[in-house]
Amino acid sequence: MKLDTRVFPDLDALSRAAVEEVLRVVADSVAARGRSAIALAGGHTPARMYALWAAEYNAQTPWDKVHLFWGDERFVPQNDSLSNYRMARESLIARVPIPAANVHPVPTNFEQPRQAADAYETELRKFFGAAPPAFDVQLLGLGGEGHTASLFPGSPALDEKRRWVAAVRAPAEPPDRLTLTPVVLNCGRNTFFLVAGENKRKILAALRSEPDSKPSEYPAARIRPTGRVLWFLDQAAAG
Ligand code: 6PG
């Protein structure tokens, strides 16, 4: 598949470019629809971007119009060190004046992951209405085996046709996770993959050599949104 890439010397430059691109989309979506809905990514890579956003782009962000959601979450308490919400809270949310009502974390305070998935879908429907949501920006990462959000290779959630949020078992720590499904992720207006580090080089090469003719085994290649897709790479990942 062809990737529309932007390559930066390091994670810092990548992160800065990503915030600036997000802010351009925020301005456009606020002008067009009065608000901007962003799905955040978890993992390590976006932490630098979130911290930069808070430190250097706080004043130019219309926080009262920005709504933060998550593309995926680990089924752990919100203060757990593995929580994607916690990472975003510590690096970004706690440092900026975003109204609490604009922050929409995936709930994890249920007995079963499935209940949490249902609750998040209800929350999304309340915000977006009946049709599958088109996020103004969805940030995504790339795992070494091609996973994105918490859609791992072979996951039944990849073939989901109806549900917006799935409870999945991942071959990763922690295994219980909640993820947006392709029903939602394929509607994104702007999808920005953030990929940094030499250990992503191999999977990027594999994605690039995938034929477009058949469904890929790599979940990241199965996300084919109607909107714009950009790959923000650092030099180490790009090779
Ligand atoms: C998660 C993710 C996941 C992540 C990739 C890349 O919750 O783990 O959202 O899809 O984006 O695993 O993670 P790194 O940025 O840590 O390499």
Side-chain angles (χ1 to χ4, degrees):
M1 71 187 283
K2 169 118 186 49
L3 306 183
D4 189 355
T5 60
R6 297 189 179 180
V7 181
F8 301 91
D10 52 29
L11 179 63
D12 215 62
L14 178 163
S15 303
R16 193 171 291 281
V19 185
E20 290 177 3
E21 195 57 43
V22 166
L23 287 178
R24 276 191 280 277
V25 174
V26 166
D28 289 352
S29 39
V30 168
R33 289 176 295 282
R35 67 185 190 188
S36 192
I38 301 176
L40 298 176
H44 297 103
T45 312
R48 181 77 196 122
M49 175 194 167
Y50 300 162
L52 259 175
W53 193 348
E56 295 182 34
Y57 298 86
N58 180 13
Q60 50 186 285
T61 306
W63 288 113
D64 56 328
K65 308 268 185 357
V66 171
H67 286 260
L68 299 178
F69 295 84
W70 274 259
D72 75 317
E73 184 54 282
R74 291 89 180 265
F75 191 64
V76 295
Q78 287 188 336
N79 60 4
D80 192 283
S81 62
L82 293 174
S83 161
N84 285 341
Y85 167 71
R86 176 179 164 145
M87 188 277 270
R89 190 189 65 215
E90 289 179 350
S91 53
L92 173 65
I93 295 162
R95 305 178 189 193
V96 300
I98 185 167
N102 292 15
V103 180
H104 309 264
V106 183
T108 54
N109 56 339
F110 287 92
E111 208 164 299
Q112 298 297 331
R114 175 69 186 260
Q115 298 167 300
D118 289 347
Y120 204 45
E121 189 157 326
T122 301
E123 165 100 1
L124 293 174
R125 284 182 192 277
K126 241 194 311 181
F127 186 85
F128 290 101
F135 280 99
D136 294 302
V137 180
Q138 48 194 30
L139 298 175
L140 290 173
L142 176 67
E145 79 300 60
H147 82 261
T148 193
S150 280
L151 296 166
F152 285 75
S155 170
L158 285 166
D159 297 313
E160 180 61 50
K161 296 283 178 287
R162 202 174 51 82
R163 293 182 151 271
W164 297 2
V165 187
V168 294
R169 290 281 292 178
E173 210 28 62
D176 281 320
R177 295 171 176 226
L178 294 315
T179 186
L180 298 183
T181 68
V183 176
V184 173
L185 294 174
N186 280 333
C187 295
R189 291 188 157 95
N190 293 276
T191 302
F192 300 156
F193 281 92
L194 309 184
V195 186
E198 202 185 325
N199 59 342
K200 302 289 168 75
R201 217 179 262 187
K202 220 162 131 196
I203 182 64
L204 280 169
L207 288 183
R208 283 188 162 119
S209 61
E210 281 279 281
D212 282 325
S213 48
K214 60 174 180 60
S216 174
E217 283 163 35
Y218 301 121
R222 297 274 288 268
I223 305 306
R224 298 293 185 102
T226 33
R228 183 171 67 134
V229 182
L230 287 179
W231 289 75
F232 289 75
L233 312 181
D234 73 351
Q235 193 59 62

